[in-house]
């Protein structure tokens, strides 16, 4: 079932959720794959459809701020401030969980992730279902998150009971996750609400060390340990001073295999050829956020061998975008020195492209 967002269609989708089925729906961040968050058997269907490891917990989506109270054994002051300031919106809080949250949702942790989305379709669906909706992104595990219904369909056809088509998502990257259970709030995943916005209301906010690529013995957000958002091609981030050499590198690399460049500013000094695909997001970082996942999937469709992606500075939404871009690239970066060495030696460049 692929539905519109009119009243009857939403009632049908809500009925499926109440019956314990999994249904995809739009939010302001990305499309979610939802099931009744208080029904363990229903939640297991999400894990099956995505092929998601069962130790990676889900976010519970609610339609009203007060609905968090029955999901938690108590909110800290920081959680209250964040809920007051940023809900509804792309912010998830980690709080101590109450007894009604099934282990399938929290993956056995004593905390639970909760968010109140601002997308009117999501809000209405949750309200009609009358239960918190557990929902990760509606993609096959490890692939880029879907930001439109067609992409959900490509991954989930035959695996789920329905898709509510609400058009393209506004933010394009997932929610910011903040652990509010400790003394100082910790960003576990950067997202639609920026670090600067959080600092404005909370004062001190820490970034989880795993975000810098430091392997924690036990990551706070279990999702941190999995490779994410990965395209099929080998991908490299190029940023800062190295960007000046990106147009030449891409042009030369395309002599050996199909190459794609995901870029903004450097787009104007690049020339598309049969083997060189230029995916231009424009000039604003918010546009990159909206388009990044779609561009990664486009690279898969083009069948390129190699992707170069222009990095942006990590202020504002740049922190979230670069977190996803680096993960998609498996943390591979090309420095100016490395690019210059490749450009000096054509056989080295060839084996770099073809490896
Ligand atoms: P997704 O829904 O695919 O965006 O993934 C949800 C993210 O929330 C994953 O990275 C999870 O690891 C994280 N998460 C969910 N519940 C918790 C929790 N109780 N503590 C820490 N991280 C969580
Ligand atoms: Mg996801």
């Amino acid at each position: 079932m692929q539905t519109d967002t009119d009243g009857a269609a939403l009632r049908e989708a809500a009925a499926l959720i109440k019956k314990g089925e999994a249904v995809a729906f739009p939010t302001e961040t990305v499309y979610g794959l939802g099931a009744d968050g208080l029904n363990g058997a229903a939640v297991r269907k999400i894990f099956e459809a995505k092929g998601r490891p069962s130790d990676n917990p889900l976010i519970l989506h609610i339609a009203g701020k007060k609905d968090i109270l029955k999901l938690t054994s108590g909110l800290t002051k920081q959680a209250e401030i964040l809920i007051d300031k940023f809900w509804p919106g792309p912010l998830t809080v980690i709080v101590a969980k109450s007894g009604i949250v099934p282990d399938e949702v929290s993956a056995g942790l004593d905390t639970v992730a909760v968010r109140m989305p601002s997308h009117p379709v999501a809000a209405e669906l949750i309200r009609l279902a009358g239960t918190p909706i557990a929902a990760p992104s509606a993609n096959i595990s490890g692939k880029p998150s879907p930001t439109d219904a067609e992409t959900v369909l490509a991954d989930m056809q035959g695996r789920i009971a329905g898709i509510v088509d609400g058009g393209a998502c506004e933010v394009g990257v997932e929610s910011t996750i903040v652990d509010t259970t400790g003394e100082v709030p910790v960003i576990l995943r950067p997202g639609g609400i920026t670090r600067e916005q959080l600092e404005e209301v909370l004062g001190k906010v820490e970034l989880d060390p795993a975000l810098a690529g430091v392997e924690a013995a036990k990551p706070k957000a279990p999702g941190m340990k999995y490779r994410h958002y990965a395209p099929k091609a080998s991908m490299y981030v190029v940023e800062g001073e190295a960007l000046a050499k990106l147009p030449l590198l891409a042009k030369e690399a395309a002599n050996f295999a199909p190459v794609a460049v995901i870029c903004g500013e450097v787009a104007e000094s690049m020339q598309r050829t049969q083997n060189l695909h230029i995916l231009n997001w424009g000039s604003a970082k918010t546009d990159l956020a909206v388009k990044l996942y779609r561009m990664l999937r486009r690279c898969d469709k083009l069948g390129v061998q190699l992707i170069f992606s222009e990095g942006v500075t990590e202020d504002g939404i740049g922190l979230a975008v670069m977190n996803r871009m680096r993960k998609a690239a498996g943390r591979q970066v090309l420095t100016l020195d490395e690019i210059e060495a490749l450009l000096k030696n054509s056989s080295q460049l060839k084996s770099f492209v073809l490896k």
Side-chain angles (χ1 to χ4, degrees):
M1 179 197 76
Q2 185 170 3
T3 77
D4 237 321
T5 56
D6 60 28
L10 278 186
R11 277 195 297 278
E12 202 183 337
L16 286 170
I17 299 242
K18 276 193 239 180
K19 259 177 42 192
E21 297 297 333
V23 174
F25 63 99
T27 79
E28 69 276 24
T29 58
V30 301
Y31 271 71
L33 178 54
D36 181 347
L38 301 182
N39 174 346
V43 170
R44 280 200 295 277
K45 290 188 182 165
I46 297 176
F47 285 90
E48 276 162 34
K50 283 181 60 87
R52 183 178 175 105
S54 61
D55 65 348
N56 193 3
L58 305 180
I59 297 170
L60 288 180
H61 294 72
I62 57 177
K65 292 185 184 184
K66 291 208 168 67
D67 295 344
I68 193 175
L69 297 176
K70 63 176 192 281
L71 304 174
T72 181
S73 59
L75 296 174
T76 59
K77 183 78 196 142
Q78 308 152 5
E80 281 171 2
I81 293 172
L82 291 176
I83 289 166
D84 184 51
K85 178 79 186 171
F86 296 111
W87 279 8
L91 178 81
T92 297
V93 290
I94 304 291
V95 298
K97 77 166 197 172
S98 73
I100 67 165
V101 178
D103 273 346
E104 284 87 349
V105 168
S106 58
L109 299 172
D110 51 15
T111 54
V112 63
V114 186
R115 168 167 116 80
M116 178 180 169
S118 65
H119 196 297
V121 172
E124 184 63 5
L125 179 67
I126 300 164
R127 204 185 58 73
L128 288 170
T131 182
I133 295 185
S137 49
N139 52 284
I140 299 282
S141 244
K143 284 215 212 176
S145 303
T147 54
D148 55 48
E150 293 71 38
T151 311
V152 176
L153 198 63
D155 272 17
M156 289 297 158
Q157 193 157 32
R159 294 170 173 258
I160 61 177
I163 303 175
V164 179
D165 185 348
C169 300
E170 201 183 307
V171 180
V173 292
E174 297 84 348
S175 61
T176 305
I177 303 181
V178 180
D179 184 353
T180 64
T181 61
E183 209 143 285
V184 180
V186 182
I187 299 175
L188 301 184
R189 175 176 78 183
I193 297 292
T194 66
R195 179 186 194 169
E196 293 85 343
Q197 285 175 292
L198 294 173
E199 280 168 349
E200 208 167 287
V201 297
L202 291 174
K204 197 168 172 209
V205 181
E206 279 171 5
L207 275 184
D208 192 281
L211 293 172
V214 181
E215 295 299 331
K218 190 169 189 302
K220 267 249 172 116
M224 289 169 166
K225 72 178 185 232
Y226 298 108
R227 181 154 185 225
H228 265 105
Y229 324 116
K232 290 179 191 147
S234 183
M235 174 167 164
Y236 291 84
V237 175
V238 179
E239 56 196 333
E241 55 174 1
L243 278 173
K245 295 282 178 190
L246 176 56
L248 184 59
L249 173 68
K251 181 168 168 260
E252 295 297 321
N255 287 327
F256 304 113
V259 170
V261 183
I262 295 176
C263 54
E265 252 161 46
V266 304
E268 61 187 62
S269 38
M270 303 210 36
Q271 195 103 52
R272 180 185 304 268
T273 65
Q274 208 188 347
N275 247 1
L276 180 55
H277 303 276
I278 298 163
L279 281 58
N280 179 1
W281 78 74
S283 52
K285 279 183 214 175
T286 44
D287 294 331
L288 173 56
V290 169
K291 291 179 186 159
L292 179 64
Y293 291 147
R294 220 173 313 149
M295 289 182 165
L296 292 172
R297 284 187 181 249
R298 175 106 185 99
C299 290
D300 283 354
K301 284 210 184 106
L302 290 168
V304 299
Q305 173 94 17
L306 198 59
I307 304 167
F308 298 117
S309 189
E310 175 180 338
V312 297
T313 53
E314 292 181 313
D315 52 322
I317 194 75
L319 186 66
V321 170
M322 289 313 294
N323 168 261
R324 309 308 193 272
M325 193 189 286
R326 290 188 209 288
K327 279 195 173 192
R331 301 204 174 275
Q332 300 190 108
V333 178
L334 278 179
T335 65
L336 182 60
D337 285 351
E338 286 164 339
I339 295 176
E340 282 176 340
L342 288 170
L343 287 172
K344 265 193 206 133
N345 184 331
S346 167
S347 68
Q348 222 176 315
L349 178 61
K350 183 176 178 184
S351 51
F352 169 77
V353 173
L354 297 179
K355 84 172 172 235

